[in-house]
Amino acid sequence: MQPICIIFRIMTKSAKIAQWTDDETAAWTSLVRANQHLLQSVETALKEKDLPPLTWYDVLWELEKARPRGLRLNDLGSRTLLDKYNVTRLVTRLEKEGLARRMNCPGDARGIIALITPKGSRLRKRMWPVYSRTVREEFFSRLSQGEIASLRKLLGRVLNAPNPAPGRKSAKSV
Amino acid sequence: MQPICIIFRIMTKSAKIAQWTDDETAAWTSLVRANQHLLQSVETALKEKDLPPLTWYDVLWELEKARPRGLRLNDLGSRTLLDKYNVTRLVTRLEKEGLARRMNCPGDARGIIALITPKGSRLRKRMWPVYSRTVREEFFSRLSQGEIASLRKLLGRVLNAPNPAPGRKSAKSV
DNA sequence: GCATATTGGTTGCATTTGCAACGAGGGGGG
DNA sequence: CCCCCCTCGTTGCAAATGCAACCAATATGC
């Protein structure tokens, strides 16, 4: 009724979305910073022991789990959230180090299957304690089990929401 | 008493740290993935509107807040969690686009102060709605206010914990 | 069956990042 | 004042990343 109300209405049209509460701001920055800090710690710890970066671990781990049949590069990419050109080059590098190898895909002539080698397995096993211990020290040990569970729930909610892709929303890729 | 117990004891010596519960694993991967997904969404949204990447926003925003006295490159780096060589180059790029400028630091001849220009301010203002809306849609809107608050609390705990000495796991760092 | 789109993977090029070394300036102890 | 060491910012070089074009193989439409 009063002018102020009208102004408020008009403002909210465009500004309401743009305004964040204190909690929202802090939650967002904490998320970004916590993640960055943790990843940084892991990378540093790995480097200290002359071990390759975390991305290598992720790939090796996926290949390890996919043993012995291996994994299409495409699937490897979607599991590790790596773009395909990045997968190509990462696998090439792993291959060069003897940690993985490529194989033609039986059913599909354009597909390539990546396999982990014994050397790759051994490297992954050496990386794991460093990775694992850092995350425990910097992350898990600072929260109770219950808190970890609720963190899982909350963050999972952010991820599992149906995400309308720009342009074409796939029905559901579950 | 039983052998199994002894084996367990021995195992835990080295393996306990390395073993993650289901909740721990899921919490960690959710954290990494949620963060990655959100940042990716923001970057995509910005690119769609032909706007510069998120790092530019962060820097511009810090400079905006530091107006009109500006900010030492060093401080700018610590606020944005950027390495110093990265700050140097980012500011150079901004300068080249007329979004910021450098100034000698009065009290300290080796210091450089970065200032935002009006053009920089305008750009930041144009970026904000895109940034803000994406985060709201993909993050805030999927949680209740209470959940956001507890997320803030939990993640804040991860960040604010004092640097613990390695080898000593605090029983409870609450 | 053939033209056309789509998928899977690779590669060249430009941009960005990480690392390590450097130069200039400042602060403290002799 | 001089020397040593530290901080601040920059830069050269190597590696990683993003983008877009590309080829080969498969799926789709007529």
Side-chain angles (χ1 to χ4, degrees), chain A residues 8-67:
Chain A
F8 185 66
R9 284 256 203 82
I10 293 166
M11 272 186 60
T12 53
K13 257 204 164 87
S14 66
K16 196 178 189 177
I17 315 159
Q19 246 153 11
W20 291 3
T21 68
D22 259 18
D23 273 340
E24 284 170 346
T25 307
W28 169 244
T29 66
S30 304
L31 176 64
V32 174
R33 286 179 179 240
N35 183 72
Q36 185 169 348
H37 172 251
L38 292 170
L39 290 180
Q40 187 67 38
S41 299
V42 174
E43 294 289 6
T44 304
L46 287 170
K47 202 164 302 170
E48 251 170 33
K49 304 237 188 252
D50 281 305
L51 290 167
L54 194 47
T55 342
W56 288 38
Y57 181 87
D58 286 336
V59 169
L60 290 174
W61 177 231
E62 289 302 331
L63 294 183
E64 181 79 32
K65 282 191 295 187
R67 246 182 5 174

Side-chain angles (χ1 to χ4, degrees), chain B residues 80-118:
Chain B
T80 54
L81 302 183
L82 258 52
D83 304 87
K84 54 183 185 174
Y85 46 85
N86 235 333
V87 174
T88 294
R89 296 196 264 229
L90 192 37
V91 170
T92 304
R93 266 172 246 150
L94 293 177
E95 215 172 6
K96 209 165 287 176
E97 301 286 333
L99 305 166
R101 60 195 182 82
R102 270 177 238 249
M103 203 183 73
N104 286 333
C105 183
D108 190 339
R110 41 193 183 158
I112 300 280
I113 289 182
L115 297 162
I116 193 169
T117 65

Side-chain angles (χ1 to χ4, degrees), chain A residues 55-56 83-86 89 93 107-110:
Chain A
T55 342
W56 288 38
D83 303 86
K84 55 183 184 175
Y85 46 85
N86 234 334
R89 296 197 264 230
R93 191 151 297 170
D108 190 339
R110 56 205 162 142

Side-chain angles (χ1 to χ4, degrees), chain B residues 5 14 22 27 39 55 58 68 110 115 133 136 139 145:
Chain B
C5 277
S14 66
D22 260 16
L39 291 180
T55 343
D58 286 336
R110 41 193 183 158
L115 297 162
R133 188 153 49 81
R136 177 162 302 287
F139 184 30
Q145 281 300 316

